[in-house]
Amino acid sequence: MKIFDYQRADTLEQAVAAARQPDARFIAGGTNLVDLMKLQIETPARLVDISRLPLASIDATPEGGLRIGAMVRNSDLAANTRVRADYPLLSRALLAGASGQLRNKASTGGNLLQRTRCYYFYDLSRPCNKRLPGSGCAALRGFNRIHAVLGASEQCIAVQPSDMAVALRALDANVETMAADGRRRVIPIADFHKLPGATPQRETELEQGELITAVTLPAPLGGRQIYRKVRDRASFAFALVSVAAVLEVDGKNGAAGEIRQARIAFGGLAHKPWRMAQAESALAGRRADAAAFDDAADILLEGAQGHGHNDFKIGLARRALHAVLGGAAATQS
């Protein structure tokens, strides 16, 4: 690990001012950043410790939703009574991630900012456009079993690993931030993570020194919420494919009742949680049966492209979608 300057911030203003320089990073739980620093993938000249800032509360909003501070620990958020009752999708996604020890340390803001787990990103001997723009993407012709089949480019086929982000995408969350010059803004979660294009090294909409202060959720949704994560191990493994779904079905007609509303977000398939309004619109008003689920899958997976080892993900995503939507519909009959 390289030598770096350490500064503990006592106020938001102090934190963003200290992080203005290009090689500064915020540190909260450090569950991802510290590992990257040990491997010299991240080599910040300054760490700005935000762990003592007043960003660890979960509060009701006037609109009936929730405001979750950026320093709320993943374990506390998953166990929160209001989250478990009104946003069970988020609680389940959090509990599907990492281990109990890591969830006790990891923060809400840090979870959104964790970097890809691509093998080649972690291997300094191999080219990676995220680490060194213009060097190439070793995963394209390498072992790419965990990599993207949607939204990728010739520059990068890595995936965004956050379980929480997938749930937040299905729930239409917003990310509140404070910029280095004191400006505040609200970024819809749909726009927060970026597809790689020609600049895979830029993974979010955040500017240098811009700090996540909170995540907000709208008023609770009706229907059944499900998070399903398909992975190589039962725990402590990242998703090959995950599905976050909210489905409301008229149960009078049994398991094949009419779908009132649907929200579907995929993880493990792209640089960002993958959600398409067209697929959800295609389900609305349809009977909750295999034909409707197939039509939604066709839209969600349009243009999907495997790269050899990850070809199986396309079929796996379709089967996972059927299982989640079918299960959600059946429980409302």
Side-chain angles (χ1 to χ4, degrees), residues 246-247 258-264 275-287 292-293 295-297 299-300 325:
V246 180
L247 190 72
E258 184 177 293
I259 299 170
R260 294 175 180 171
Q261 69 160 332
R263 298 185 180 199
I264 307 160
R275 182 178 170 191
M276 296 189 70
Q278 302 96 311
E280 297 167 3
S281 297
L283 286 169
R286 299 275 302 274
R287 292 178 67 83
F293 303 160
D295 288 345
I299 297 171
L300 281 160
L325 295 182

Side-chain angles (χ1 to χ4, degrees), residues 23 34-35 49 55 71 78 81 112 138 154 157 178 197 203 237 243 253 258 274 277 314:
D23 49 1
V34 171
D35 286 342
D49 185 347
L55 301 174
M71 283 302 305
T81 302
L112 285 176
E154 288 296 310
I157 59 169
M178 184 174 183
E203 298 170 355
V243 185
N253 298 319
E258 184 177 293
W274 196 260
I314 300 171

Side-chain angles (χ1 to χ4, degrees), residues 27-105:
I27 187 165
T31 57
N32 187 208
L33 179 59
V34 171
D35 286 342
L36 294 172
M37 289 175 65
K38 288 177 179 178
L39 295 169
Q40 295 191 15
I41 295 168
E42 290 268 12
T43 56
R46 173 182 292 173
L47 286 185
V48 181
D49 185 347
I50 61 170
S51 61
R52 295 191 178 184
L53 297 184
L55 301 174
S57 63
I58 303 173
D59 304 299
T61 66
E63 298 76 23
L66 277 186
R67 187 176 188 273
I68 303 159
M71 283 302 305
V72 173
R73 302 300 178 181
N74 286 180
S75 55
D76 293 335
L77 183 57
N80 180 268
T81 302
R82 176 80 191 278
V83 172
R84 293 177 64 188
D86 293 336
Y87 308 95
L89 176 61
L90 176 57
S91 182
R92 291 167 185 159
L94 286 162
L95 292 173
S99 65
Q101 293 93 330
L102 286 171
R103 291 194 295 270
N104 287 340
K105 192 69 175 172

Side-chain angles (χ1 to χ4, degrees), residues 35-270:
D35 286 342
L36 294 172
M37 289 175 65
K38 288 177 179 178
L39 295 169
Q40 295 191 15
I41 295 168
E42 290 268 12
T43 56
R46 173 182 292 173
L47 286 185
V48 181
D49 185 347
I50 61 170
S51 61
R52 295 191 178 184
L53 297 184
L55 301 174
S57 63
I58 303 173
D59 304 299
T61 66
E63 298 76 23
L66 277 186
R67 187 176 188 273
I68 303 159
M71 283 302 305
V72 173
R73 302 300 178 181
N74 286 180
S75 55
D76 293 335
L77 183 57
N80 180 268
T81 302
R82 176 80 191 278
V83 172
R84 293 177 64 188
D86 293 336
Y87 308 95
L89 176 61
L90 176 57
S91 182
R92 291 167 185 159
L94 286 162
L95 292 173
S99 65
Q101 293 93 330
L102 286 171
R103 291 194 295 270
N104 287 340
K105 192 69 175 172
S107 66
T108 297
N111 191 305
L112 285 176
L113 294 174
Q114 62 183 298
R115 305 199 69 186
T116 183
R117 264 54 182 193
C118 172
Y119 321 117
Y120 303 103
F121 175 71
Y122 280 82
D123 185 350
L124 294 178
S125 71
R126 306 300 297 273
C128 172
N129 286 319
K130 280 189 179 295
R131 275 190 287 103
L132 183 62
S135 63
C137 176
L140 274 171
R141 293 171 182 81
F143 184 60
N144 47 46
R145 183 171 182 272
I146 66 170
H147 289 73
V149 295
L150 288 165
S153 74
E154 288 296 310
Q155 298 295 314
C156 185
I157 59 169
V159 298
Q160 215 288 329
S162 171
D163 290 287
M164 185 186 76
V166 183
L168 293 178
R169 180 68 183 93
L171 295 169
D172 281 331
N174 288 309
V175 181
E176 296 182 357
T177 71
M178 184 174 183
D181 60 2
R183 288 179 297 111
R184 293 179 180 265
R185 63 171 173 156
V186 176
I187 306 172
I189 191 67
D191 301 327
F192 184 78
H193 293 102
K194 296 176 68 69
L195 293 177
T199 56
Q201 72 277 11
R202 188 176 181 199
E203 298 170 355
T204 73
E205 285 294 325
L206 296 181
E207 302 167 357
Q208 177 62 37
E210 188 170 10
L211 175 66
I212 297 175
T213 57
V215 171
T216 58
L217 296 173
L221 303 166
R224 177 79 191 280
Q225 299 181 20
I226 294 179
Y227 185 76
R228 175 166 295 193
K229 181 176 181 178
V230 184
R231 47 187 164 174
D232 287 326
R233 298 186 302 275
S235 66
F236 204 57
F238 295 97
L240 293 170
V241 172
S242 63
V243 185
V246 180
L247 190 72
E248 186 175 5
V249 176
D250 179 355
K252 295 179 181 179
N253 298 319
E258 184 177 293
I259 299 170
R260 294 175 180 171
Q261 69 160 332
R263 298 185 180 199
I264 307 160
F266 274 114
L269 299 183

